[in-house]
Amino acid sequence: MFYGTDLKNRLLLGTAQYPSPDILRAAIAASGTEVITVSLRREGAGGAGFRDILKDSGCRILPNTAGCHSAREAVTTAQMAREVFGTPWIKLEVIGHADTLQPDPFALVEAARILCADGFEVFPYTTEDLILGEKLIEAGCRVLMPWGAPIGSGQGLRNIEGLKTMRAHFRDVPLVIDAGIGAPSQAAQAMEMGFDAVLLNTAVAKAVDPVAMAEAFSRAVGAGKQAYDAGLMPRRDMAEASTPVFGMAELLA
């Protein structure tokens, strides 16, 4: 549940870089997503056709501050997005490193504190750092969105142990894997680890068949969630026979 909103579909889908408006529309429908992320800059450049796609999708809009490199820039962008989209939800991105697109932890916390105090419901794009997560919660965030890998890299979950530790530490906080997911199997892995949702864009938008890939990711996320809820078997260091010894034939010499 994100800020009081319960989602049936745990896949959150970005709307950038699709080959055409029609493919974007079809991918959103095929994914079954209930939340789509939109950059304010993308909305401004997309024109009326893009706005119609957003409206017709029936999805909840999660505006983002993509491309912002300072707390001030992110706060201003978020305030503009709230006016344009009419929602207090904001995916907060404050980029601190040009090559990895890693968030700036200091500016991120500063911007989160300002926006939460201003009534925003903030979804911060962060790393798996526990201290940073604590600071964001203290600032008022009720959701954390750690990266799996750098944005658009498709590398999947690079720091599995760190993400597992984060999941265990923030037991009562919704956690969404955001960025770096490149294959449905990686999304399923995140859900099997107990994460609450997966947010992705490039892996669908840049696929040979974005519509089919959107459906594949939706199924993978659902399967991973179902597997986690069902209870995965513990990993063992040694083999354990599935066939019992009792009842087996005894061969006499």
Side-chain angles (χ1 to χ4, degrees):
M1 182 174 291
F2 306 122
Y3 293 103
T5 298
D6 193 16
L7 303 178
K8 295 181 181 178
N9 190 305
R10 304 301 183 103
L11 175 63
L12 285 59
L13 192 64
T15 55
Q17 304 182 17
Y18 286 81
S20 72
D22 287 342
I23 290 177
L24 169 59
R25 190 189 304 271
I28 292 174
S31 73
T33 186
E34 298 171 61
V35 178
I36 52 178
T37 64
V38 182
S39 167
L40 180 64
R41 297 171 183 178
R42 174 75 177 90
E43 194 278 341
F50 182 66
R51 289 191 287 272
D52 287 343
I53 293 175
L54 303 182
K55 181 179 178 181
D56 295 344
S57 71
C59 297
R60 180 149 189 168
I61 305 297
L62 175 59
N64 66 54
T65 62
C68 292
H69 292 263
S70 70
R72 180 178 180 181
E73 185 181 11
V75 168
T76 300
T77 301
Q79 291 170 338
M80 294 171 62
R82 180 167 60 181
E83 293 298 318
V84 171
F85 296 108
T87 176
W89 279 20
I90 192 73
K91 178 189 171 185
L92 178 61
E93 295 183 29
V94 186
I95 302 302
H97 193 273
D99 292 332
T100 65
L101 301 182
Q102 180 173 329
D104 180 332
F106 307 102
L108 181 64
V109 172
E110 179 185 354
R113 185 174 292 111
I114 294 170
L115 292 174
C116 288
D118 192 27
F120 281 88
E121 296 175 340
V122 179
F123 295 69
Y125 164 61
T126 181
T127 65
E128 66 274 25
D129 186 277
L130 300 184
I131 305 303
L132 176 54
E134 291 282 8
K135 295 296 183 183
L136 290 168
I137 296 297
E138 291 173 6
C141 299
R142 291 164 53 193
V143 176
L144 297 175
M145 303 181 72
W147 66 350
I151 295 172
S153 69
Q155 295 178 18
L157 308 181
R158 291 206 309 183
N159 184 4
I160 292 177
E161 292 306 316
L163 290 170
K164 285 182 177 179
T165 299
M166 189 177 198
R167 176 69 282 179
H169 184 74
F170 295 104
R171 290 185 178 276
D172 299 323
V173 178
L175 299 182
V176 181
I177 292 294
D178 177 17
I181 296 294
S185 57
Q186 298 165 355
Q189 181 184 26
M191 299 304 295
E192 289 173 359
M193 289 165 56
F195 284 86
D196 297 279
V198 170
L199 192 158
L200 56 90
N201 188 156
T202 308
V204 169
K206 293 296 187 179
V208 174
D209 186 341
V211 178
M213 188 62 76
E215 183 179 356
F217 267 106
S218 182
R219 291 183 176 184
V221 168
K225 172 62 175 173
Q226 185 176 6
Y228 176 77
D229 290 342
L232 294 165
M233 66 171 287
R235 183 172 179 175
R236 295 175 54 86
D237 293 330
M238 299 184 66
E240 180 182 14
S242 58
T243 303
V245 176
F246 179 77
M248 294 181 63
E250 293 186 14
L251 300 179
L252 301 178

